[in-house]
Amino acid sequence: NAGVMQNPRHLVRRRGQEARLRCSPMKGHSHVYWYRQLPEEGLKFMVYLQKENIIDESGMPKERFSAEFPKEGPSILRIQQVVRGDSAAYFCASSPGWDGTEAFFGQGTRLTVV
Amino acid sequence: SQQGEEDPQALSIQEGENATMNCSYKTSINNLQWYRQNSGRGLVHLILIRSNEREKHSGRLRVTLDTSKKSSSLLITASRAADTASYFCATERSNYKLTFGKGTLLTVNP
């Protein structure tokens, strides 16, 4: 049973470009969470999705950021018109439910905006 | 201070010694989880302790939870160089959202 798979592991984008980060949850998990980790910081919640539904996006910046989890395929975190401040590690986690069970994290995507 | 704040920020010990890290939080929680992160890598889940539990063990790890003091501790016994990593506590309140602290950087010197 493969773990949570994120790709790419490293992504370099120039200012103004778009960044697409992908996350495939563990088999059998229908709940996906995205977190962002700035240098020397802990992880900060961004968004919680179930298949075809955004449940909680309270941690997402209001502009340029969007997330989806389609019926088929991975969850996508999309950042439009990236700026230097978007440089961070973005982690995806998945769980079978949200009743206090363990969330499994992927290896993360490290986004560098140059 | 934020929910899930670790103390100390950095800890350096010799191989074989025990390492204790603490976590304090502000509001009531459903559970508290400890994670390890090696430099530049993903998070590895260590232990989940529920609000009605006081102590939990897993191998060389021992976690305690004191809900009256809103604090938790992670003890790593007989540390090894491979334990060198950042350790984060994360609290879960009434739902799915984990709130992480800034972590404790543990260095175990061979």
Side-chain angles (χ1 to χ4, degrees):
Chain A
N1 186 8
V4 177
M5 304 300 292
Q6 289 188 249
N7 69 81
R9 290 290 306 278
H10 300 273
L11 182 61
V12 179
R13 283 287 177 267
R14 295 187 184 281
R15 281 178 293 172
Q17 291 185 319
E18 178 180 287
R20 278 183 176 247
L21 289 63
R22 294 175 188 76
C23 169
S24 296
M26 285 184 70
K27 188 176 181 180
H29 288 190
S30 59
H31 299 247
V32 166
Y33 318 84
W34 285 92
Y35 288 78
R36 177 166 64 176
Q37 184 180 31
L38 295 171
E40 311 298 326
E41 297 281 329
L43 278 71
K44 296 288 193 294
F45 170 82
M46 298 181 75
V47 62
Y48 163 40
L49 310 108
Q50 294 180 26
K51 286 282 187 183
E52 299 183 282
N53 281 306
I54 296 174
I55 307 302
D56 180 350
E57 56 182 348
S58 59
M60 290 273 274
K62 294 288 184 274
E63 297 176 348
R64 301 187 298 108
F65 284 71
S66 63
E68 62 176 10
F69 189 16
K71 187 176 180 181
E72 300 291 337
S75 174
I76 306 287
L77 178 66
R78 183 181 175 206
I79 311 172
Q80 295 179 292
Q81 299 173 332
V82 295
V83 301
R84 289 240 169 94
D86 296 332
S87 295
Y90 292 82
F91 290 93
C92 170
S94 73
S95 70
W98 56 273
D99 56 346
T101 54
E102 174 186 343
F104 292 82
F105 280 81
Q107 292 289 303
T109 293
R110 275 152 187 82
L111 172 65
T112 302
V113 179
V114 296
Chain B
S1 58
Q2 61 181 321
Q3 183 90 332
E5 191 167 302
E6 294 89 347
D7 167 61
Q9 288 187 333
L11 179 62
S12 182
I13 59 174
Q14 295 300 123
E15 214 166 18
E17 293 181 338
N18 296 340
T20 299
M21 289 159 271
N22 302 297
C23 170
S24 60
Y25 57 93
K26 288 191 170 300
T27 61
S28 61
I29 60 172
N30 269 359
N31 64 65
L32 185 146
Q33 304 181 38
W34 284 91
Y35 287 84
R36 184 184 73 216
Q37 184 181 37
N38 290 80
S39 178
R41 306 293 293 273
L43 277 80
V44 174
H45 187 270
L46 297 177
I47 285 187
L48 180 154
I49 185 165
R50 300 187 189 281
S51 59
N52 60 354
E53 296 176 311
R54 292 296 167 258
E55 188 171 311
K56 220 164 178 183
H57 297 256
S58 176
R60 294 184 294 113
L61 306 180
R62 172 177 167 249
V63 167
T64 62
L65 179 64
D66 187 335
T67 52
S68 65
K69 294 181 179 177
K70 292 185 169 58
S71 67
S72 173
S73 68
L74 170 67
L75 168 68
I76 304 174
T77 59
S79 63
R80 305 166 183 167
D83 294 329
T84 295
S86 290
Y87 291 81
F88 295 89
C89 71
T91 53
E92 181 181 328
R93 295 169 63 185
S94 59
N95 51 31
Y96 41 82
K97 201 180 297 185
L98 293 175
T99 302
F100 286 81
K102 291 186 178 183
T104 292
L105 176 60
L106 172 66
T107 303
V108 181
N109 302 300

